[in-house]
Amino acid sequence: MSSSSFDATALSSLPAFAALETAPVLVGRKDGASIQMSDLYFENQLSVLRNLDSASFTDRISALEESYEIVQNASIHLNSLSVGTLEHAANNVHETYRSMPETKRLRSSFPGDCLTVPEFVRTGGNGIDFGLRAYFFREGDAPDAEEIIRRNVVGVVEDTEREFERYQGGLHGYPECCIDAFMDRSPEAPAPEVRSVEALSCIREDRIGARGASITDILPDFFEDPHAYAFFSRKFFPEPGCATAEERGRDVFEGLTTAFPETMVRDSFRLNYALCYTLAHSLTPEGGKLPRVGSLGTEHVYAYLPLKNALSVPRYRSA
């Protein structure tokens, strides 16, 4: 892994969570990163910016609103389901997404290669749903966007989506053992997401969503377990007890602390785990809600500020 560092101001316009997710890519400590540009991606940012000081973020709010409307209104029309028809539809919506203010901003704000591509999933039978994902790589390291789209389309049409998920794991440089564990979905065992987060037992569920709570209230003893470092990426579910993931996470942690306040880096790892925890438990028979902004502590709000603004809050300014 590279030991080089960089100036965090290079990512100052990105949301803080996106800056912390992608910075290790730029210094060679992660092969790639991605962010799902879901409803919550837009809604959480809009909620934070509108409630803090909307006059200071007028242009940013306008760009997010316009982009979110495009995402919500995007549609595809298929006469039949085949690789050819879905790939054609994917290429059309890809062009729509590329022209959005938000995807243009991501590409211009990240000093490497940023690809924004549609992502398709089966919803049962021949049902198809799709969204948007942004990938981040060092300059010159990105695969062709068309290759990602084609692999996704083939996986959906031929019902081999797990192969696409394995390919995605490789793009991110996740440990092979963790990818294998994520693919292991035996009906006799808990889902791999649940197995992953249950490897730690430090979360205080009663503090999730509590008014005025901090992420350190929710995860007070998080870093006392070395496996905490395995949660070095958003929505990455490491294999329980994986030493490779822990080592990779320590390397990412070290790289981030050369450019960001250590308190912010620690909060980022805590938020990664808390997000994984809530996602995993939303998949159980009991179900659960995905976290709205602020439900994982005040630091969850800071994560959706532009990095330059997040760095100015007292918690990180004094770190």
Side-chain angles (χ1 to χ4, degrees):
M1 291 288 183
S2 170
S3 60
S4 59
S5 61
F6 80 111
D7 185 352
T9 58
L11 302 172
S12 62
S13 296
L14 290 178
F17 78 86
L20 286 152
E21 182 71 14
T22 60
V25 174
L26 296 173
V27 294
R29 299 188 184 227
K30 286 166 63 174
D31 290 348
S34 75
I35 293 171
Q36 188 177 16
M37 299 175 70
S38 63
D39 288 352
L40 286 180
Y41 172 89
F42 293 98
E43 291 172 4
N44 285 351
Q45 288 188 77
L46 286 168
S47 175
V48 169
L49 298 180
R50 287 168 178 161
N51 287 326
L52 286 179
D53 184 3
S54 60
S56 299
F57 299 105
T58 301
D59 292 343
R60 182 81 190 94
I61 290 172
S62 177
L64 282 166
E65 289 175 337
E66 181 182 343
S67 299
Y68 190 23
E69 184 176 3
I70 291 171
V71 169
Q72 289 182 306
N73 292 333
S75 62
I76 60 172
H77 303 283
L78 301 173
N79 294 324
S80 61
L81 181 60
S82 68
V83 170
T85 57
L86 186 55
E87 191 168 20
H88 178 73
N91 289 332
N92 287 339
V93 78
H94 181 214
E95 289 305 312
T96 299
Y97 284 156
R98 277 182 52 82
S99 66
M100 289 178 2
E102 182 65 4
T103 55
K104 287 181 178 179
R105 191 185 66 84
L106 288 178
R107 292 196 299 273
S108 65
S109 299
F110 181 71
D113 292 340
C114 174
L115 309 178
T116 49
V117 299
E119 185 168 279
F120 296 84
V121 295
R122 273 190 182 269
T123 58
N126 284 334
I128 301 291
D129 197 5
F130 68 97
L132 173 62
R133 184 177 294 273
Y135 290 89
F136 303 85
F137 302 93
R138 289 182 296 280
E139 187 174 3
D141 285 357
D144 290 336
E146 292 74 14
E147 174 67 10
I148 298 175
I149 292 171
R150 180 166 180 79
R151 285 175 177 264
N152 178 212
V153 165
V154 170
V156 168
V157 173
E158 298 183 357
D159 202 18
T160 56
E161 290 178 278
R162 294 300 175 204
E163 292 183 16
F164 177 66
E165 290 177 354
R166 182 177 291 279
Y167 168 71
Q168 281 185 308
L171 291 179
H172 293 74
Y174 294 154
E176 195 67 32
C177 54
C178 294
I179 297 174
D180 289 341
F182 190 76
M183 297 294 111
D184 180 9
R185 295 182 177 271
S186 168
E188 289 78 33
E193 294 91 344
V194 174
R195 298 198 304 268
S196 177
V197 299
E198 293 299 329
L200 293 175
S201 57
C202 54
I203 196 161
R204 292 183 58 190
E205 289 184 314
D206 63 304
R207 300 300 292 162
I208 296 177
R211 187 177 182 85
S214 165
I215 188 62
T216 55
D217 297 328
I218 297 170
L219 291 166
D221 303 317
F222 183 62
F223 284 100
E224 291 187 10
D225 190 323
H227 193 59
Y229 290 95
F231 290 87
F232 60 83
S233 195
R234 287 169 60 85
K235 301 183 182 180
F236 166 57
F237 293 90
E239 181 183 20
C242 177
T244 303
E246 290 175 20
E247 181 181 354
R248 190 77 51 84
R250 287 182 182 276
D251 192 62
V252 168
F253 185 94
E254 178 187 302
L256 285 171
T257 55
T258 66
F260 299 89
E262 184 171 336
T263 302
M264 177 179 269
V265 177
R266 288 183 177 274
D267 286 348
S268 177
F269 273 65
R270 292 186 183 102
L271 286 168
N272 284 345
Y273 174 77
L275 176 60
C276 283
Y277 184 90
T278 53
L279 283 171
H281 285 276
S282 73
L283 303 174
T284 63
E286 295 78 14
K289 294 182 179 180
L290 296 181
R292 308 295 298 188
V293 66
S295 62
L296 300 179
T298 306
E299 299 78 9
H300 194 201
V301 175
Y302 301 155
Y304 283 90
L305 282 171
L307 176 63
K308 59 187 175 185
N309 299 96
L311 287 169
S312 70
V313 303
R315 179 172 177 83
Y316 303 136
R317 189 172 63 241
S318 60

